[in-house]
Amino acid sequence: MGNMMLAAMFMLYLGPRIASPKAWSASSETTLRQAAEAHHIIIGTAAASRLLEEPEYSAILASEFSQLQAENEMKFGAIHPRPDTDPEPYDFKGGDALVAFAQTHNMVVRGHTLVWHNNLPGWLKNGGFTRRQQARILRRHIHRVMMHYASQVYAWDVVNEAFNDNGSMRSTIWYDKPGIGAGQGTKYIEQVFRWAHDADPNAKLFYNDYDAEEINQKSDAIYEMAKDFKKRGVPLDGIGFQTHISLNFDDPRKLASYAKNLERFSKLGLELHMTELDIRLSDSRDESLAAQAKLYGKITTICVEQPPCKVLQTWGFTDRHSWIPQFYKGMGWALLWDSDYRKKPAYEAMRSALEK
Ligand code: XIL
């Protein structure tokens, strides 16, 4: 009897909170970064310096996230827009602004990315360089950028998207067009990881890719490379799983495969980061948002259940500034806040998965 009374009083006490969550949300709710602390998971997001001027943008970034990563501003074309013959080939402005923001708000910074086939400046793409020259350009680039951010950027996506879906090497200027003269297969990747380690021995070095979440030909190829690198002491610290997905990922087989895949990489002693999570939709009906929320929760749980999964990062946080509509025709609504900076069901789902 007494217990029931107590329960009734408790319900009365909770009643108004349940009825109007908004009234108490702003000040007393746990943020994502707080919720993740118990699991020692870093909650990151991609960001852009020009958006820091939007008050809602910077307020959410500073309070909800414990890590940021430049969405574009540390890519080759952005940070090294002019040839090395120019008096100042580099432009660190955007990256520096992001680093300063992160430091002010007690966030760590992840670097993205040193070796990629996209976002290359015209002077490099059209320069007609030989392998030897390209090797020198890339080595110097890696050294300059990593030394500039030494002790500020704790981890780098050294190489991004070097494999095709079938596990073969992607044909790029760094591999074979004309390449850097390091040799066949994953030799050039090994070479750049060694350069990166020389440039900043304290940075954690990652290989990052998309559609390698499940066990498939691409993730098999990455796994074989990682195993080989670990065996031979090539300085590889972890793998980034981009995790750009859609609702069709909400399939028990796919989810189980993602978990198993992470597990096999973790057994190699590697750190695992989910680096670019977003879940694109083809409309923003309530059902879609609810399905999206569920999937955000499940992906979060996969990270929570795998201790080497140390970073859970979304590719932006507001639908106002997501890359999806531009790159996937007819799709969007992929992130945790809507385009008016209102929290979506996906936000709540991610947080409650972190609170478990
Ligand atoms: C995307 C950015 O979000 C866009 O703003 C830019 O125009 C193109 O690149 N995989 C990656 C990211 O590793 O760097 C890409 O970012 C998205 C896919």
Side-chain angles (χ1 to χ4, degrees):
M1 194 64 178
N3 276 349
M4 276 183 65
M5 278 277 286
L6 262 176
M9 280 167 64
F10 190 58
M11 285 311 287
L12 258 167
Y13 170 71
L14 278 181
R17 296 192 163 198
I18 291 167
S20 58
K22 278 267 149 62
W24 58 289
S25 67
S27 54
S28 58
E29 266 188 7
T30 311
T31 61
L32 294 176
R33 69 182 282 178
Q34 287 167 343
E37 260 164 30
H39 303 289
H40 307 285
I41 290 175
I42 292 172
I43 299 291
T45 187
S49 66
R50 73 191 154 84
L51 301 176
L52 298 175
E53 287 162 25
E54 282 186 38
E56 297 100 323
Y57 185 93
S58 52
I60 293 172
L61 182 59
S63 57
E64 294 281 349
F65 296 92
S66 46
Q67 164 176 294
L68 67 73
Q69 173 166 311
E71 182 164 353
N72 289 303
E73 288 158 293
M74 293 188 187
K75 290 173 181 171
F76 203 119
I79 210 163
H80 194 164
R82 292 170 292 271
D84 295 334
T85 47
D86 194 276
E88 187 37 280
Y90 292 85
D91 181 352
F92 293 112
K93 229 178 18 273
D96 288 359
L98 288 169
V99 168
F101 183 90
Q103 288 175 347
T104 305
H105 299 288
N106 195 21
M107 306 164 84
V108 294
V109 182
R110 207 175 173 282
H112 177 81
T113 175
L114 297 164
V115 183
W116 193 30
H117 61 280
N118 275 333
N119 203 304
L120 297 170
W123 67 264
L124 176 61
K125 272 194 296 196
N126 312 319
F129 296 109
T130 64
R131 285 181 178 168
R132 252 181 96 94
Q133 287 168 327
Q134 272 198 181
R136 184 179 149 85
I137 289 168
L138 186 55
R139 185 174 57 79
R140 287 165 56 119
H141 173 86
I142 290 171
H143 271 252
R144 181 77 198 273
V145 175
M146 288 186 78
M147 281 166 76
H148 181 85
Y149 288 117
S151 82
Q152 301 181 316
V153 168
Y154 80 99
W156 275 98
D157 287 329
V158 178
V159 177
N160 197 32
E161 305 178 350
F163 289 93
N164 294 314
D165 288 349
N166 69 5
S168 60
M169 301 301 297
R170 187 194 289 271
S171 174
T172 72
I173 79 164
W174 305 124
Y175 177 53
D176 59 353
K177 286 165 68 192
I180 57 169
Q184 290 290 300
T186 57
K187 281 278 172 222
Y188 89 95
I189 301 181
E190 171 175 351
Q191 175 63 267
V192 299
F193 271 86
R194 293 190 189 282
W195 286 339
H197 183 67
D198 287 345
D200 180 2
N202 296 318
K204 291 184 182 180
L205 308 181
F206 279 73
Y207 176 81
N208 190 55
D209 215 327
Y210 65 91
D211 286 352
E213 291 77 30
E214 289 173 72
I215 295 181
N216 56 29
Q217 287 176 312
K218 190 191 268 190
S219 66
D220 282 350
I222 298 168
Y223 179 77
E224 288 309 320
M225 171 182 77
K227 198 162 110 189
D228 169 51
F229 282 9
K230 283 317 247 186
K231 201 171 76 203
R232 292 187 301 107
V234 180
L236 170 72
D237 296 295
I239 307 293
F241 299 86
Q242 293 187 10
T243 325
H244 293 293
I245 57 177
S246 63
L247 290 181
N248 75 17
F249 207 93
D250 196 356
D251 167 334
R253 268 173 313 137
K254 287 177 185 282
L255 292 161
S257 183
Y258 195 178
K260 260 187 105 179
N261 193 30
L262 292 184
E263 196 181 331
R264 68 171 169 166
F265 279 99
S266 81
K267 285 191 179 139
L268 296 177
L270 291 162
E271 194 166 316
L272 315 171
H273 291 184
M274 292 185 180
T275 50
E276 306 186 11
L277 173 62
D278 54 19
I279 305 179
R280 56 187 179 271
L281 301 176
S282 46
D283 61 70
S284 60
R285 287 176 304 144
D286 285 350
E287 304 93 271
S288 310
L289 295 178
Q292 178 187 50
K294 236 162 117 197
L295 186 51
Y296 260 107
K298 290 180 188 176
I299 298 290
T300 302
T301 299
I302 290 177
C303 183
V304 167
E305 287 177 348
Q306 189 64 252
C309 184
K310 304 253 188 252
V311 167
L312 177 54
Q313 173 165 270
T314 54
W315 204 239
F317 56 91
T318 163
D319 293 341
R320 192 187 196 94
H321 301 298
S322 162
W323 75 304
I324 293 293
Q326 256 177 301
F327 286 81
Y328 293 86
K329 225 179 147 20
M331 304 204 77
W333 307 281
L335 294 168
L336 304 175
W337 277 261
D338 72 14
S339 51
D340 294 318
Y341 292 108
R342 283 183 302 236
K343 286 173 182 166
K344 291 164 62 182
Y347 171 90
E348 309 294 347
M350 189 160 165
R351 195 184 50 196
S352 63
L354 289 167
E355 280 173 335
K356 274 179 199 142

